[in-house]
Amino acid sequence: MGGSQADTLAQGMKMTTQSLSRYRFLQSGRGWLFPIALLLIWECMSRQSAEHAYAFASIPQIYHGLVEIISTGELQQGIVASLQRAFLGLLLGGFAGFIVGIIMTQWRVADVIIGPLYHMLRQVPLMGLVPLFSLWLGNGDPSKLVVVCLSAFYPLVLATYESLYQVEVKYKEVGDVYKLSRWQAFFKILLPAALPNIFTGVSFALAFAWLATIGSEILFSAGAGLGNIMMNAQAASRMDILIVLTVLIGFLGYGMNFIIQRTGRYFFRWRNLR
Amino acid sequence: MSIGIRVALGINQADPVFRRRNQLRLVAFLSPLAFILLWWWVSRMEIFPTQLLVSPDAVLLAFLELLDSGELWEHLSVSLSRLGTGFLIGASSGLLFGILMALSRTIEDLFAPLFQALRQVPSIALIPIFILLFGIEEVFKVAIVVKAAFFTVALASYESTKGIPRHYFEVAQAYQLPARKLYTSVVIPAILLPVLTGFRIAFARSWTILVAAELLAADSGLGHMMQMGREMFRIDVVMVGVVLTGLIGFGIDRIFKWGEARLIPWRKA
């Protein structure tokens, strides 16, 4: 339908408007006005009364909280545990999704069998499965890993399936001209043509896996991880630690997304899209 | 639609043979049916203890029991009203904010950096902070839904308004369209489709985050019902909750899809 070209064009345009406006924020300096005002209000609120200080941690307090969890080693341990979980889940779930996606496009029977089942099971929000997994697998690491794996599995099945289907007919015809066997055509033509789009799916799967990691750590009480530290801090009403961790989770998510975008651009530079 | 949006929504655009041909449509029900039969058979054989795996008819019985006692309606209506209130507030303010931020340079300069920074924090990571700020009552649950809906819709409307081709505005200027007319006949039609897609994504996120929030801290709602089932080892109640959350998510997504096709007759989603 020729939509893919228009799509990449649209994406490219989005990128330029985004990056342009990002640079303008830095130039104008007006962008700092509200964050600083917000911080000042926050700081004032924290100094109002003891009751306020419970909900609004002051900036020195946040700094001390940060120092505290670094010195106990809790933070480092949590970061390692969470990142490990996210990547392991992405690897296992993502790879399984990739394989299932390939199988579905290559065998019509598999498509008819797996497709409806996939769409049926995918409807349940991942966090809604938490009580079920906690009954089946307990509150520890296995349950969390299953949730993270699923979060990476779903998008990659879809991305692989869609990308393989969207490979243009003219590429397939080249394979026919060269009289490639089915598998030769798959590995030499279909898969390379679909890979850039599948990689977009991987970047989404990573974002979902990170969300699922934090979510499952918040909902399953046992074990190490940033989410678990957060829940402990919440139980102890430690707003300072919560703020440190929330900001950190945002940064880590942003950083991972940045890295994977860069990696994609490097790997698929032959595709000359952006 | 880009592949990313389709992945986020779980839309399969590639039409497999069985969906293209009408007489093969029924085939799509085969494997779910087989799945349920297999589930029924495995639970009948008692390979796993009944505390871990209940049969589909036990789940149905639990569903009828909950329905009869009126308990289910209560949980369902509480959850849906939280979802509705939060989504309405979040999505409408997000829509307005996104459009204003895209059209006015002053607002963009003032708010965009803060917006982009806050957007990086996943809603689920905000649950603990929201509990401390708002307590564990209704405000907390509605607030977390508002957050999830606001940022998704605001981003969609911001990006799509920014993406309106410049010459649309030039034409409007040439015809000296008044400001109100500019919005109603240029801006809104141009962004309708991407914004609706944003609504769909926002709704899916709001629903997930609400279920998570109810699992953590609530005295009513579907998530709370599942949490109670988990604590009392009533796996049938948990399964009722799982099936219902899936059905509700699916049903409302279908409504959005129907709306897409109705509101935008010139472009099929």
Side-chain angles (χ1 to χ4, degrees), chain A residues 57-120:
Chain A
S58 69
I59 293 163
Q61 245 177 318
I62 293 174
Y63 174 72
H64 287 305
L66 176 66
V67 171
E68 186 192 319
I69 47 173
I70 288 179
S71 63
T72 55
E74 214 179 338
L75 186 69
Q76 295 90 319
Q77 201 191 353
I79 293 177
V80 170
S82 291
L83 287 181
Q84 232 168 25
R85 201 185 324 282
F87 280 109
L88 192 63
L90 178 69
L91 213 66
L92 293 178
F95 190 68
F98 178 63
I99 297 294
V100 169
I102 289 177
I103 292 175
M104 278 167 73
T105 49
Q106 295 307 302
W107 284 287
R108 206 160 281 163
V109 180
D111 190 8
V112 171
I113 293 173
I114 303 174
L117 212 56
Y118 165 81
H119 281 286
M120 184 177 89

Side-chain angles (χ1 to χ4, degrees), chain A residues 14 113 134 136 162 166, chain B residues 6 13 27 31 52 159 230:
Chain A
K14 212 156 68 182
I113 293 173
S134 87
W136 282 346
E162 290 268 297
Q166 276 178 0
Chain B
R6 282 206 302 278
Q13 246 185 358
V27 175
S31 58
L52 290 184
E159 293 274 346
R230 169 191 180 179

Side-chain angles (χ1 to χ4, degrees), chain B residues 101-113:
Chain B
M101 193 161 71
L103 290 180
S104 150
R105 179 153 296 187
T106 319
I107 294 178
E108 185 178 21
D109 281 351
L110 285 176
F111 290 103

Side-chain angles (χ1 to χ4, degrees), chain A residues 86-158:
Chain A
F87 280 109
L88 192 63
L90 178 69
L91 213 66
L92 293 178
F95 190 68
F98 178 63
I99 297 294
V100 169
I102 289 177
I103 292 175
M104 278 167 73
T105 49
Q106 295 307 302
W107 284 287
R108 206 160 281 163
V109 180
D111 190 8
V112 171
I113 293 173
I114 303 174
L117 212 56
Y118 165 81
H119 281 286
M120 184 177 89
L121 297 178
R122 203 182 46 80
Q123 299 305 328
V124 183
L126 267 182
M127 297 305 142
L129 286 173
V130 163
L132 200 61
F133 287 144
S134 87
L135 281 176
W136 282 346
L137 303 167
N139 275 331
D141 287 337
S143 305
K144 294 181 203 166
L145 191 62
V146 171
V147 172
V148 179
C149 280
L150 274 179
S151 76
F153 174 78
Y154 290 142
L156 259 174
V157 173
L158 200 79

